[in-house]
Amino acid sequence: MIQVDRINTNAGALPSNAGDDFHLLWAAQKLLDMLRPNSNLASITVEGPAWQDSIVADLDESKLFSIDLAEYYGGETLQSANHVIFSQLKYSTYMGNTSWTTSTLCHSDNKKKNNSIIRRLADTYEEYIEKYAFSKDKITLKLVSNRPISASFKKGIDEAKELLIVKELKNTNSLLNNLSEASKVEIKKIYEESKLKSLVFMGFIKAIDFEDCGADIRSIQKAKIIQQLGNWGIDSPHNKYNEIIMTIRERMMPGRNALVPMTKDFVCSLFGGNYARFFPAPTSIPEKKYVERECTHELIKTIMQQDKKSIFVHATAGIGKTTLVNNLQNHLPDGSAVVFYDCYGGGTYLQPADSRYEYDTAILQICNSLAIECKTDFLLERRLKESEFWHEFSIRMTQAAKYVKSYAEDAIILLIIDAADNSVFAAKKNNKFSFVHKLLQQSLPEGMKILLTYRTEHSHYFNFPYNSAFFEVPTFNLEESTEHVKSYSLELAEEVYSEFHRLSKGIPRVQSYVLAAKQETPHQLVDMLLPNGKTTEDLLRDILEELRLRYGEENDVISFNFGVLINMPRPIPLQALTAPPTLPIPAPPYSHKA
């Protein structure tokens, strides 16, 4: 359906081929736009709208000739999307510098005099709002062309749009009477050519868009696409460009599913995966009740030291390292960005299928998380050498640092590597090398900081860089323990708060275990920690001791079942923990059900 200006020439096929190329290039650029950071573009179709639109409302195809490309934002159909753009594409080989005027936009060259640009855009608008009443607030109709729009036409459209925003006009005559004389002439011509009713025409004026007139010529568009592919780490960008163009060309062929939406996952399939595959190590942190920590301010001071690029945050198990660093964003300077890499993965880090300790998985996840946070380039190529992965990582760190510095001079990128000791342990278990070691050797641009968390007892896992800073996370103080209890909707006497804090030793995980038991009386919270208080290890030891007392020291069944649990891949299924085939697990000692 794309149109090109007809002109007498000995090379009659050239304008048509140029128009097809323009269409392909525009569609290719939109496909890649789906992968841009924070893009809301969910799908596109060529040569018409998504087939679901036509099926649901039985749209008249003769009214849809203006739709060369359809873009669906926020959803893949008109029903689910929050915004839809229908574009008519026109490319001129010989008149690229000649502006579109009202007259040329209203010119028809068929016998029925009904195929002008304005008429076709108006037909599409009318058909949609008639079949989908809600669509008048969703759709935009665009003309996309390498030819610019004339100044007088643009002035008339802009003035009409502005009036419709600031004034409540009853009909098109009211609109025309409020326009300047020059703009009135322009808009009246469009009104007459559109053949729309008065109220419908006012909605049409709001919906039409000519901002993409004067688009780049084909060679520039092609160069931009190839450059973008190169920025994404594609090792043969010209070959990938040809593959994308051929894919779109096939879609435009009759009977080739042109109206089946091309989604983000479809685009990712052109790069060897789906969207999730480019985030191969997703964060898996359960939502927890967060208590604001007094130590946060000291940690921020440590992070912001000018001469410290690597910050090591450590504590023993259950102190709340992950929770603390996962809530730093609001305490950093304005404009800062945080990228969080989870080395634990909810326990999956030891599974054979999980490779989050390896450089290719980690760099891919981090680079593409940076893309979302800082609008840097995605990394889509997985078949790179290790040195090439680190090179791509270095490029994106520099891009990200420049991005945040453009907002504020003191803004930083904070890359958090949580549970880094798990990564080192998993790599060693598989006779491999954790990415963490080379990450710590990486030169960082100004404005980039790396923060790693680990258990204090695992400090020997790392070779700390000379410019490192260290921060040990303390246990809860009394105020924090009190807030923690209150977050469970419990109100206790002051002395009970104090005793609970003392016996739990201020350890957040111990407190969480006890508070989650939901005891019937406040004093039972304290009773569960008697006589001398409990640590995380103490609670586990109590469970094992109750098992020993219940089943005997030499019980082979207990040994067998614990052996099975120890050797199962993480995370262990809940069914396996609660219902082993030969052993009923007793309730924890603090449940008072034994």
Side-chain angles (χ1 to χ4, degrees):
M1 288 188 289
I2 189 169
Q3 300 176 35
V4 293
D5 296 320
R6 300 191 181 280
I7 185 170
N8 291 327
T9 172
N10 292 329
L14 289 178
S16 179
N17 290 339
D20 288 344
D21 287 349
F22 185 67
H23 193 166
L24 289 166
L25 287 163
W26 195 260
Q29 189 60 66
K30 292 300 178 182
L31 278 180
L32 299 187
D33 282 350
M34 272 193 266
L35 299 186
R36 292 187 184 279
N38 307 317
S39 173
N40 193 33
L41 180 56
S43 69
I44 71 170
T45 59
V46 290
E47 304 295 345
W51 65 269
Q52 296 95 324
D53 293 359
S54 299
I55 295 297
V56 171
D58 191 26
L59 296 173
D60 181 352
E61 289 189 11
S62 69
K63 302 290 187 180
L64 308 180
F65 288 153
S66 72
I67 306 177
D68 292 318
L69 185 78
E71 303 162 51
Y72 293 83
Y73 292 81
E76 296 176 15
T77 66
L78 184 69
Q79 294 277 1
S80 60
N82 51 46
H83 185 208
V84 179
I85 298 176
F86 297 137
S87 295
Q88 183 173 18
L89 284 78
K90 283 183 67 70
Y91 187 84
S92 176
T93 305
Y94 303 102
M95 300 174 63
N97 294 323
T98 304
S99 298
W100 289 107
T101 63
T102 308
S103 296
T104 53
L105 290 170
C106 293
H107 174 71
S108 295
D109 60 7
N110 65 350
K111 291 182 178 180
K112 293 183 178 180
K113 299 297 181 184
N114 64 351
N115 70 339
S116 70
I117 292 173
I118 292 297
R119 182 64 181 276
R120 285 192 166 174
L121 292 172
D123 284 349
T124 298
Y125 180 77
E126 184 178 38
E127 181 69 6
Y128 261 86
I129 66 166
E130 182 180 316
K131 300 292 176 62
Y132 294 102
F134 63 86
S135 68
K136 65 184 179 68
D137 297 320
K138 281 190 177 186
I139 63 174
T140 295
L141 297 110
K142 273 192 175 185
L143 173 64
V144 179
S145 175
N146 63 320
R147 292 174 58 179
I149 286 290
S150 70
S152 58
F153 178 80
K154 185 179 186 304
K155 182 177 181 297
I157 290 292
D158 290 347
E159 189 177 332
K161 284 177 175 287
E162 180 67 21
L163 275 173
L164 290 170
I165 291 172
V166 301
K167 289 191 175 183
E168 293 186 10
L169 301 172
K170 294 182 178 180
N171 51 45
T172 297
N173 284 333
S174 298
L175 171 63
L176 293 172
N177 290 333
N178 278 275
L179 291 168
S180 64
E181 284 302 315
S183 295
K184 182 177 181 179
V185 171
E186 304 284 341
I187 301 303
K188 186 175 182 181
K189 284 182 183 178
I190 299 173
Y191 180 38
E192 291 171 350
E193 175 62 21
S194 72
K195 303 295 190 274
L196 295 174
K197 294 179 180 178
S198 177
L199 292 178
V200 177
F201 178 75
M202 290 196 293
F204 175 66
I205 288 293
K206 290 180 181 179
I208 54 177
D209 186 322
F210 298 91
E211 291 300 314
D212 285 324
C213 287
D216 291 330
I217 60 174
R218 291 171 294 149
S219 59
I220 294 177
Q221 288 190 43
K222 178 179 178 179
K224 285 183 175 180
I225 292 171
I226 291 173
Q227 182 182 23
Q228 183 64 72
L229 293 171
N231 290 344
W232 285 347
I234 303 303
D235 57 356
S236 299
H238 284 85
N239 291 341
K240 184 58 66 177
Y241 164 81
N242 290 333
E243 180 185 341
I244 292 170
I245 293 298
M246 287 303 298
T247 299
I248 300 171
R249 192 186 298 277
E250 288 181 6
R251 281 291 185 117
M252 292 168 62
M253 294 292 194
R256 291 297 183 92
N257 300 319
L259 305 185
V260 175
M262 290 180 277
T263 63
K264 190 171 289 187
D265 276 344
F266 172 85
V267 181
C268 288
S269 71
L270 300 175
F271 297 95
N274 54 31
Y275 193 70
R277 193 179 176 200
F278 298 116
F279 296 88
T283 299
S284 180
I285 298 176
E287 196 170 321
K288 295 181 180 179
K289 298 177 185 296
Y290 179 62
V291 175
E292 192 68 49
R293 301 295 305 271
E294 184 179 299
C295 66
T296 299
H297 304 292
E298 281 302 314
L299 176 54
I300 292 296
K301 286 182 183 178
T302 302
I303 292 170
M304 296 306 296
Q305 292 181 60
Q306 289 295 324
D307 60 334
K308 306 298 182 184
K309 292 292 185 75
S310 300
I311 301 93
F312 291 86
V313 175
H314 63 98
T316 192
I319 302 300
K321 301 180 292 296
T322 297
T323 305
L324 173 65
V325 300
N326 199 31
N327 287 275
L328 290 177
Q329 176 74 69
N330 293 334
H331 299 276
L332 293 171
D334 290 344
S336 298
V338 173
V339 170
F340 191 98
Y341 186 77
D342 179 12
C343 294
Y344 183 64
T348 63
Y349 75 106
L350 287 176
Q351 289 186 1
D354 193 291
S355 60
R356 62 184 62 230
Y357 60 85
E358 297 194 83
Y359 68 87
D360 51 351
T361 297
I363 292 176
L364 199 66
Q365 176 73 30
I366 293 169
C367 283
N368 291 336
S369 297
L370 276 172
I372 290 175
E373 293 295 332
C374 302
K375 295 183 171 58
T376 56
D377 292 318
F378 274 100
L379 179 58
L380 302 183
E381 181 61 74
R382 298 174 65 98
R383 298 167 298 178
L384 298 175
K385 297 176 184 176
E386 182 176 1
S387 60
E388 291 173 330
F389 266 109
W390 286 110
H391 178 67
E392 295 293 341
F393 176 65
S394 180
I395 290 172
R396 283 154 181 79
M397 284 196 300
T398 302
Q399 290 174 342
K402 287 181 178 177
Y403 175 80
V404 297
K405 291 296 183 184
S406 69
Y407 280 87
E409 186 56 38
D410 62 344
I412 66 167
I413 297 288
L414 182 62
L415 172 57
I416 297 174
I417 309 297
D418 188 49
D421 48 342
N422 287 132
S423 177
V424 176
F425 176 79
K428 187 176 181 179
K429 189 174 185 295
N430 289 282
N431 297 315
K432 293 189 177 180
F433 198 70
S434 168
F435 79 96
V436 169
H437 299 303
K438 286 197 174 179
L439 176 66
L440 293 177
Q441 299 170 14
Q442 190 77 16
S443 176
L444 302 179
E446 186 65 31
M448 184 92 181
K449 305 266 188 171
I450 294 178
L451 183 155
L452 288 84
T453 71
Y454 65 97
R455 290 191 184 185
T456 305
E457 56 269 30
H458 294 160
S459 60
H460 61 283
Y461 284 10
F462 309 99
N463 292 317
F464 301 112
Y466 75 93
N467 61 341
S468 300
F470 296 86
F471 185 88
E472 184 170 5
V473 182
T475 57
F476 278 165
N477 59 32
L478 176 58
E479 289 181 3
E480 290 165 350
S481 291
T482 301
E483 287 303 311
H484 195 198
V485 175
K486 289 180 177 180
S487 72
Y488 283 80
S489 301
L490 291 172
E491 291 292 337
L492 309 177
E494 290 299 322
E495 61 271 18
V496 179
Y497 288 128
S498 180
E499 187 68 358
F500 180 72
H501 168 70
R502 184 183 70 80
L503 291 172
S504 67
K505 306 182 188 300
I507 300 174
R509 187 173 297 169
V510 170
Q511 294 182 0
S512 295
Y513 285 164
V514 174
L515 290 166
K518 296 181 180 178
Q519 297 304 302
E520 295 178 0
T521 67
H523 288 286
Q524 286 180 317
L525 293 175
V526 173
D527 292 345
M528 290 189 300
L529 298 170
L530 292 173
N532 300 314
K534 295 285 193 298
T535 64
T536 308
E537 290 77 9
D538 291 335
L539 290 178
L540 179 59
R541 193 177 296 114
D542 286 348
I543 295 173
L544 295 177
E545 177 64 13
E546 178 145 341
L547 285 170
R548 186 188 68 79
L549 293 173
R550 184 175 296 191
Y551 293 101
E553 274 190 51
E554 304 299 328
N555 194 303
D556 292 336
V557 175
I558 293 177
S559 298
F560 172 77
N561 279 281
F562 272 113
V564 170
L565 292 174
I566 289 170
N567 285 283
M568 288 182 71
R570 280 73 166 170
I572 299 172
L574 185 61
Q575 300 93 317
L577 283 172
T578 57
T582 57
L583 176 65
I585 296 293
Y590 52 76
S591 69
H592 292 270
K593 292 181 181 177

